[in-house]
Amino acid sequence: MKRTLLVPVVLLLNTALFGVLIGIPVVLVRSGAEAVLYHLGPIILAATLLAVLFTIVRSVFRAIVPPLFLFLIAITVVAVGAGVLVIDETVLSRRLGDPAVRNPVPTEAILYGPDYSVRIGDATGAALEDVLLFRRHSLPVIVPIAEAVWNEQTMEIVSLGPEEIRFSADELSSVGWRQLPPSIEAIVDHIVSLYTLLQSTYRAGLTDIFLAYAIGILFAVIGVWTPARLFRWPLLNLLVSIMYLRLIVAVPALVVRFSVGDVVPEFFPTFVGANLVPLIWGTLGVVLLVVAAFLPSLKRWRREITGGGGSQ
């Protein structure tokens, strides 16, 4: 029982740990601690998902009370999510909404491209100053550019002056601005999109839609409980759990990509099509929790895995 009651503490500590581990690459990729604040919501969302996964995988080997364990995890996840949304809305959005505090490109670092290299001395929001350009296929000379701007929509650096010069972010790389591998970039995009989905409905005051998304994904995440002890091989269970969470994060993008909403039969109520994503989440979570009811008890499962006992 004591171990079960400590679940919120363990989950919060895991969330903080994964938040730091995810935040460090964000600082390196985005070149600046300000980027962590700007991406705080998606970072905490990703950290919470990983924390739930590893808290559940760890706890299935210990003597816990499953119903109370899952209830405490759900309450803690709700508290973390609500806290991040409130902080984002009341504090961070006001500060980071001002372009003057955003630093979109790394400063005092050399950005390497196939035809040129660029160094930016200072960046305040979209305004860039003291830009140095080194052309590779001409005379080896450094061209100073007094002012330039960062176009976030086209992901380009555009010089201001008699001659307009554009540098695409896709062609530049540096220690402070690395391009992510496609697989990692897809995961990042899905997590950011998922958080934006929750954040936008919350900010817009669409209470019914927000609650549908929040409850749906909560059930889906709690559903990790089943794949975490589905087989007799713990490592396989961990891999299946990770794949399941990856699917959960990708659901909104998959629904859009494959136009799933357009193939919903006409005899289904309009409610189904309008709430397809949360219904998929909720259905997956409920089905997995029902499956868990037919699995061997934790005591028997642990005995088969480790040869030990334990009581619930």
Side-chain angles (χ1 to χ4, degrees):
M1 175 64 78
K2 291 181 180 179
R3 288 174 177 172
T4 307
L5 295 177
L6 287 175
V7 166
V9 177
V10 174
L11 185 57
L12 290 174
L13 290 176
N14 283 336
T15 301
L17 173 62
F18 284 114
V20 171
L21 294 178
I22 297 172
I24 292 174
V26 171
V27 172
L28 296 177
V29 171
R30 295 299 180 183
S31 185
E34 191 81 29
V36 173
L37 291 178
Y38 184 67
H39 298 284
L40 181 63
I43 289 174
I44 297 300
L45 174 61
T48 303
L49 293 176
L50 291 174
V52 170
L53 169 65
F54 282 92
T55 301
I56 289 179
V57 170
R58 173 181 178 273
S59 296
V60 294
F61 291 97
R62 300 175 177 273
I64 58 173
V65 181
L68 179 60
F69 171 80
L70 295 177
F71 174 76
L72 291 175
I73 276 191
I75 293 297
T76 308
V77 169
V78 169
V80 172
V84 172
L85 286 174
V86 170
I87 292 175
D88 199 346
E89 175 67 19
T90 59
V91 180
L92 297 180
S93 63
R94 296 179 182 178
R95 171 170 169 75
L96 297 175
D98 182 0
V101 302
R102 290 180 54 188
N103 187 354
V105 293
T107 58
E108 300 182 358
I110 298 177
L111 307 178
Y112 298 96
D115 301 320
Y116 45 75
S117 297
V118 181
R119 181 186 183 277
I120 299 170
D122 186 34
T124 303
L128 311 177
E129 298 180 355
D130 299 329
V131 179
L132 298 179
L133 170 67
F134 176 79
R135 297 183 185 274
R136 297 181 182 276
H137 301 297
S138 61
L139 293 177
V141 62
I142 297 178
V143 179
I145 300 175
E147 293 181 320
V149 294
W150 167 249
N151 189 329
E152 191 168 6
Q153 293 182 344
T154 60
M155 299 290 287
E156 290 179 324
I157 298 173
V158 183
S159 68
L160 301 178
E163 179 186 3
E164 182 180 281
I165 306 174
R166 294 177 176 268
F167 318 107
S168 173
D170 293 335
E171 299 177 358
L172 299 173
S173 63
S174 75
V175 174
W177 200 6
R178 292 191 177 99
Q179 296 297 314
L180 297 174
S183 57
I184 301 299
E185 188 173 355
I187 295 175
V188 171
D189 289 341
H190 290 164
I191 291 176
V192 172
S193 299
L194 175 55
Y195 179 76
T196 303
L197 194 64
L198 295 170
Q199 180 195 49
S200 59
T201 54
Y202 174 78
R203 285 186 175 180
L206 304 175
T207 306
D208 294 343
I209 300 177
F210 171 74
L211 288 177
Y213 280 116
I215 294 173
I217 194 170
L218 179 63
F219 270 97
V221 171
I222 299 302
V224 174
W225 171 259
T226 299
R229 65 185 196 93
L230 190 59
F231 304 105
R232 295 183 178 181
W233 302 278
L235 181 57
L236 177 60
N237 291 339
L238 176 61
L239 294 177
V240 172
S241 299
I242 293 174
M243 293 172 60
Y244 169 71
L245 268 187
R246 178 68 185 94
L247 171 64
I248 293 303
V249 171
V251 164
L254 293 176
V255 169
V256 173
R257 178 179 178 182
F258 295 103
S259 302
V260 178
D262 298 336
V263 299
V264 174
E266 295 183 358
F267 59 82
F268 275 95
T270 306
F271 173 83
V272 174
N275 297 275
L276 191 58
V277 170
L279 283 173
I280 292 175
W281 280 334
T283 301
L284 286 173
V286 170
V287 168
L288 287 178
L289 291 176
V290 171
V291 170
F294 295 93
L295 294 177
S297 66
L298 276 180
K299 180 179 179 179
R300 177 182 171 186
W301 184 83
R302 284 192 295 267
R303 185 165 57 245
E304 292 178 350
I305 296 298
T306 64
S311 61
Q312 299 183 35

